[in-house]
Amino acid sequence: MDRRQFTKLALFASFLAPLGNTIKAAESDEQRKNLAKAASLKGHKAMMDAPGVKMVGNEKIAMLLYPGFYAPDLINPQFLFNAMMGAEVCLISPTDDLTPVECGGFSIVPTHRRSECPDKLDVLFVPGGATGTLEAMKNKPFIDFIKTKAADSKYITSVCTGSLLLGKAGLLKGKKATSHWTTLQLLQEFGAIPVKQRVVWDGNLITGGGVTAGIDFGLEVVAALRGKTYAQTIQLEAEYDPAPPYDSGSPEKADPFVRDNLKGIFAPLVENFRLAI
Amino acid sequence: MDRRQFTKLALFASFLAPLGNTIKAAESDEQRKNLAKAASLKGHKAMMDAPGVKMVGNEKIAMLLYPGFYAPDLINPQFLFNAMMGAEVCLISPTDDLTPVECGGFSIVPTHRRSECPDKLDVLFVPGGATGTLEAMKNKPFIDFIKTKAADSKYITSVCTGSLLLGKAGLLKGKKATSHWTTLQLLQEFGAIPVKQRVVWDGNLITGGGVTAGIDFGLEVVAALRGKTYAQTIQLEAEYDPAPPYDSGSPEKADPFVRDNLKGIFAPLVENFRLAI
């Protein structure tokens, strides 16, 4: 087969649906590779040309690490944000070095020292946690850093108890916001209006509920920055088609036995959060 | 108020529902702290005494890191496993040092050198990824390590394309298993029976679908190790009450435009996975 015949075949094949079967039917590894490459180019181009999709951007996203944060709060949004072509997703150290930051049984290496945190952020993100977040609430330089970065951030965001840190930085006054379900009512003490919803938007403030809410939060932010189609594409890459084995993910749905026990178990921590306000 | 009166109040208060309101109604910070502590003890005790709950265990769980793995694949299950009191959750380096391992824009520090990986594991876990997983498939010492550890593991598990690594290690022959939706059909090449389900169990093999399926996977494993009530409690702590902004999490549900583009975009990688089998 000569080059022109091959090119015709590749173009013809690239319009066949389902494309996957076409690739399987190809005779040689070389043909399969070229068909796959054609499919990839076609897929990228279709995305780029789709209405409402911003394929490439240059958002500056700063995700703040602090000792004892809850890793999933941050890692899930990070994965979704990192899938936005061209975005710069920075994990900011709480200090001026790149010492790994502990987050529940292991450590993550920051990508940027605190002093290297970009200015004029598109997204400032603060994860939650338990006792780590409590200590962070009492860490005045850290709270001041949040306040400073928020002042020139397009969006100010958090997941889980991270909103307590935003509140401590004075960023929730008069705003609707959410938090982990155990600390939701504490938001009132910051002058916020607590809303029991997985993701809450108020002006440029976007807050997510506890831990796994970071996935829903992350997809909503991607949609705002890059359009619905891009967010749907990342949702499919992340295969986010949840199938919880139990219906125990919120205090309203959980068995009262489970809910009351967990509420009790967390009561001292919640009380300490309240005292730290 | 003397000690006996206080104790009576604490006991009385601990039976009031909703307990949260009781704590709010207490008059002083000292009273609130003690009520919170009583609530915590009560909650722990109720969990410990609940039928079917194994409150404390000593499971040895090894989660294998390799360059370029998808962080959420591992971090979500790690969070859920780490919530099992007494479990030892180890992040195993792919080498014999503790050099941070890259995982999509940042790095994670292993907790154990490869030579320090415990024997007689309760759970061996392999995360997925994209080109990182492709390279891992071609890494014979790594595949041999998986085979060795699996030989005396109670459960052999993976999330996402991690099942391709289990397949390469010969661990899927004749077994039902799943993978990321883009690589599911490749499992046949390992002698496995591909099943399009979020979490698939076959004997001691437990495999999860793509990326975020790690949460559903993790909860099912916790239920197997510690009982349903424990899993429901961790689900509530993780506030896993999903609310995806779009219904685009599986190839069946996604818009065909989104699905076909993403399938095309991933076609070269999938073809390379196939060639590496």
Side-chain angles (χ1 to χ4, degrees), chain B residues 165-186:
Chain B
L165 297 171
L166 298 185
K168 192 76 176 165
L171 300 165
L172 299 186
K173 289 201 182 77
K175 301 246 179 181
K176 292 185 295 201
T178 195
S179 190
H180 189 273
W181 64 270
T182 54
T183 49
L184 181 60
Q185 294 313 318
L186 293 180

Side-chain angles (χ1 to χ4, degrees), chain A residues 113-251:
Chain A
R113 296 172 177 77
R114 174 182 288 194
S115 58
E116 295 169 333
C117 182
D119 297 320
K120 296 189 178 26
L121 298 168
D122 289 89
V123 180
L124 172 68
F125 173 84
V126 182
T131 50
T133 310
L134 177 64
E135 291 315 301
M137 277 179 83
K138 303 174 189 173
N139 184 333
K140 194 176 186 307
F142 184 67
I143 298 300
D144 288 344
F145 182 71
I146 291 174
K147 206 180 308 192
T148 302
K149 300 316 293 178
D152 66 353
S153 287
K154 187 171 164 196
Y155 290 112
I156 301 165
T157 76
S158 67
V159 161
C160 196
T161 56
S163 55
L164 298 177
L165 298 170
L166 299 185
K168 192 78 176 162
L171 300 166
L172 299 185
K173 288 200 184 73
K175 302 246 179 180
K176 291 184 295 202
T178 194
S179 190
H180 189 274
W181 65 269
T182 54
T183 50
L184 181 60
Q185 294 314 318
L186 293 180
L187 297 185
Q188 292 171 92
E189 316 258 346
F190 293 120
I193 303 148
V195 178
K196 182 71 174 70
Q197 198 170 284
R198 205 127 173 93
V199 187
V200 175
W201 292 67
D202 190 335
N204 75 334
L205 178 73
I206 317 166
T207 51
V211 193
T212 57
I215 305 172
D216 307 305
F217 156 85
L219 288 171
E220 290 196 25
V221 173
V222 169
L225 294 171
R226 298 298 187 91
K228 179 174 102 163
T229 301
Y230 206 119
Q232 290 171 324
T233 302
I234 294 179
Q235 180 181 2
L236 184 56
E237 181 185 354
E239 207 167 342
Y240 185 46
D241 183 29
Y246 309 107
D247 194 12
S248 182
S250 75

